Every structure is written in C-alpha cells, then in structure tokens.
Amino acid sequence: MGQTNRTIPANGPKTLKEAYQDFFTVGAAVSAHWIDEAAPTLLAHFDTVTCENEMKYNGIHPHSFDRPVFTPGKKPELPPFANKEPFLHPSLVTNFAPADKIYRFAIENGLGVRGHTLVWHGSYPMGAFEQLTPEELRENLEEHFRLLAERYPACFSWDVVNEAIDDRPGGYLRDTVFRQKLGENYLPELYAMARRHFPKQELVCNDYNEFLPEKREKILRLLHTLKEYGVVDTIGCQCHINAHQSAKELEDARRSLDLYAKTGLKIHITEMDVNCLEWGNPTAPLPADIEEKCASVYDSMFRLFREYREAIENVTLWGVSDKYSWLQSFHNDARQPNFPLLFDKNYQPKEALLRVIQF
Ligand code: GLA
C-alpha cells in the first residue's frame, strides 16, 4: 500500500514553517547519511534540526571493544578492560564528522539545532562504564559535556538525561549505570553539570509515553525536583504516537500538555511521528483508511499544539520523509511499510501535511 501525494493549494501557507511562524518553530530529526537528499525539503519547511544519533555518546565516542550481549532484565556481562584510558578520557576517542556535517549545514542555512542527547542509557559504552568508579564516571561525563559545549556552541537546547523515568508500575527512576554509580540524586547532579557547561542553553528533560497518566505523574515529580534545584528549563515530550489513537488518548494528551504548561516550564515536542502499524501487530495489513487516520491524528495533535502555543516553543518531527524512519526497522521483523511522517518517500507532501498547514 502506498500513500497518495498531494499538491499544496495555492491559497494559504505553502510550507510548514510559514504556517507556524506565529506559533512555534518546527524541526526535524536528520541523519548525516541522508541530509543531502532531504536538504530542499528541510530548507523549505523546517526551522530547526536534531541529530538522530550523531550527537549521542556512542556517536561522538565510537569505542570499539567486545560489548556484552544485552539481554533485557539481565545485567550485562562485562568484558575485561584491555585499556581503561580511553574510557577515562572520552576526548581520546572521537568521531565528530557526522555531527559536524549536520551542525554545519544548520549554521550555514540559518537553522537552529536542538542538542540531543548528553546522557542516555541507550548510548554509552555498555560494559565499560560499569567498571568505572563513580568519580571516574563523573569525570568522563564532565569531559564529554565540555567537548560538546566547545564544538557545538550554537545549539539552543540540550536534552540532558534522556528517558530517566522507570515505566514499571510503582517504579520511579530507571535503573541505569548512571543512577547505580552516581546515586539517587544523580539527575540534579547531571543537570547541574550541564548547567555549568551550557549556561546559555535551555536544559530539557525528555521522555516518551509522556501523555500516559501514570508516566506523566512521574515526569511531573521529576520536573518538580529539578525545578527546585533550578536546573531545568524545558519539558521534552517525545510524542511517538499511533494512527490508531483513541479519543481517550487524545484527551490524555490535552490534560498532559495542560499540566506541563502549568509547571511554568517551556515545552518542546521533540520526536513526533505517527506510527501507522498497530503496536504488537506490525505485520498486520494496514486498513484502507490508514492515510486518513494518520492525517487526522496529525491534525488533532497540531490543533492541541496551537492551543498551547504560549508554552510550546518547538515541535520536532522524528524524520523528514517516510523513506527514513526508525519505525521502518524497529524490531527488524517482517513488518508492513510504515508512513509515519509528513512527506512521502519521494519527499512529496502527504495529506497529513496539508491538514497540518491548513487551519
Ligand atoms: C528514543 C530516543 C531517540 C531515538 C528514538 C527512536 O526516543 O530519544 O534518540 O533513538 O528513541 O529511534
């Protein structure tokens, strides 16, 4: 099943950024692999970019060593260190070229850059950090922050510790190597460290499933703590949502934006996409009206975003065209092709884009 591309009508705004110029900036996650082919669409429609993976720890410091096989729920088995030095000093192992490519493209073309992300349990030398002492890990992260601050000073915000909340019922903070080594107060500590290195940038607390009531309560609790320390400016709502969104889910999104706005912090929608496959059933054929469903979810969500324009500063899509999206390969199974973004695989506008820019 494909998607029908659409022609942007002659009356009204011609581009996404034009439609939202009085509301918030609009952004897209990009990869160094395909930024060149996406450039015309990026420049026409978007104000900001986010590196999909290039500024993450493993993107900037691609250590090669025998990693343990990661089995969810089990502690990684640690390979012995052949040489500890590079893990003590991340400046010894760097690959800035892919992030530089995106950063330079943005700066040369007047686009803003969201920094993503300083610390994440999904991107660090697994098996190595586990062998550092707390002090060694602190020094390592401090050096990592310093390197990014020096190299990418124009980023207007940084996601500090990505996805720190535990999803399990009753749980609060995710059990990560950072928490284990640095202690229960590790989040205020790392945000304060970020504040020292990025005094002019907005510091963002970014997470997923942020509209689910139980998760939202935990996020609000964390934001409250970080606010007491004065080390957070912005809430990052990833907004990975589904085309099969229910009325209750939409209502939860509204209630969440309302509560987040009431914290007085700014809001960034950081990774929006609309998965057209059913969760847990990615091989099921897509229903005939999937394009309409997806467009309608985009429409409802952007209406909400417009309502909360006072709090929302930036809305970023997690990709540009359906050709490249993590949702095409997630789980790496025999899934159906997915259509989660605003432009089709040939960078042509989709119905979802038209609905979002015509209001
Ligand atoms: C998380 C991360 C992103 C990206 C997406 C999916 O949401 O924050 O950087 O990796 O998963 O790819």
Side-chain angles (χ1 to χ4, degrees), residues 283-335:
T283 55
L286 296 175
D289 64 346
I290 191 64
E291 186 174 4
E292 167 55 30
K293 278 202 158 97
C294 176
S296 150
V297 168
Y298 265 112
D299 188 15
S300 315
M301 293 304 291
F302 270 79
R303 271 173 208 275
L304 262 187
F305 300 157
R306 293 195 294 274
E307 274 181 47
Y308 287 92
R309 64 196 282 182
E310 291 300 318
I312 296 179
E313 250 181 6
N314 175 271
V315 175
T316 287
L317 280 295
W318 204 245
V320 176
S321 96
D322 289 342
K323 184 170 174 189
Y324 302 109
S325 158
W326 70 297
L327 292 168
Q328 305 290 13
S329 53
F330 194 50
H331 293 326
N332 196 23
D333 48 25
R335 57 180 41 226

Side-chain angles (χ1 to χ4, degrees), residues 81-254:
F81 266 138
N83 176 12
K84 199 172 180 182
E85 256 330 86
F87 299 104
L88 294 176
H89 302 294
S91 58
L92 296 175
V93 181
T94 58
N95 176 29
F96 288 113
D100 282 359
K101 179 174 178 177
I102 295 170
Y103 183 80
R104 220 174 296 124
F105 172 90
I107 301 303
E108 282 166 6
N109 290 291
L111 300 177
V113 185
R114 293 195 76 259
H116 174 78
T117 171
L118 294 173
V119 177
W120 186 32
H121 64 276
S123 185
Y124 74 93
M126 197 197 292
F129 274 11
E130 283 79 356
Q131 297 182 60
L132 300 182
T133 65
E135 213 32 57
E136 286 168 345
L137 179 60
R138 274 191 187 96
E139 280 169 23
N140 179 308
L141 293 176
E142 184 105 42
E143 189 165 318
H144 173 62
F145 287 18
R146 181 175 58 70
L147 288 171
L148 290 172
E150 280 171 8
R151 193 130 188 139
Y152 306 117
C155 291
F156 63 92
S157 66
W158 272 98
D159 298 336
V160 181
V161 179
N162 201 32
E163 305 177 341
I165 298 292
D166 185 355
D167 287 311
R168 288 169 303 181
Y172 174 42
L173 296 181
R174 187 188 289 276
D175 186 27
T176 67
V177 67
F178 305 102
R179 182 176 166 214
Q180 287 167 8
K181 295 274 167 189
L182 306 179
E184 278 306 293
N185 212 37
Y186 87 105
L187 290 167
E189 176 183 348
L190 291 180
Y191 277 77
M193 187 188 278
R195 190 64 106 203
R196 286 201 299 280
H197 290 277
F198 303 93
K200 298 198 180 116
Q201 281 87 352
E202 279 176 67
L203 300 185
V204 188
C205 176
N206 189 43
D207 219 313
Y208 62 89
N209 283 351
E210 68 284 358
F211 301 144
L212 293 181
E214 199 195 340
K215 182 89 175 253
R216 176 182 73 212
E217 294 315 311
K218 299 180 194 182
I219 294 174
L220 286 166
R221 178 175 161 193
L222 173 58
L223 291 169
H224 182 76
T225 303
L226 295 175
K227 267 181 79 180
E228 281 187 338
Y229 284 86
V231 289
V232 68
D233 306 297
T234 306
I235 304 161
C237 296
Q238 291 192 1
C239 202
H240 292 294
I241 55 175
N242 197 283
H244 304 272
Q245 188 188 51
S246 66
K248 155 110 177 43
E249 285 168 329
L250 180 59
E251 204 34 54
D252 284 345
R254 173 191 300 281

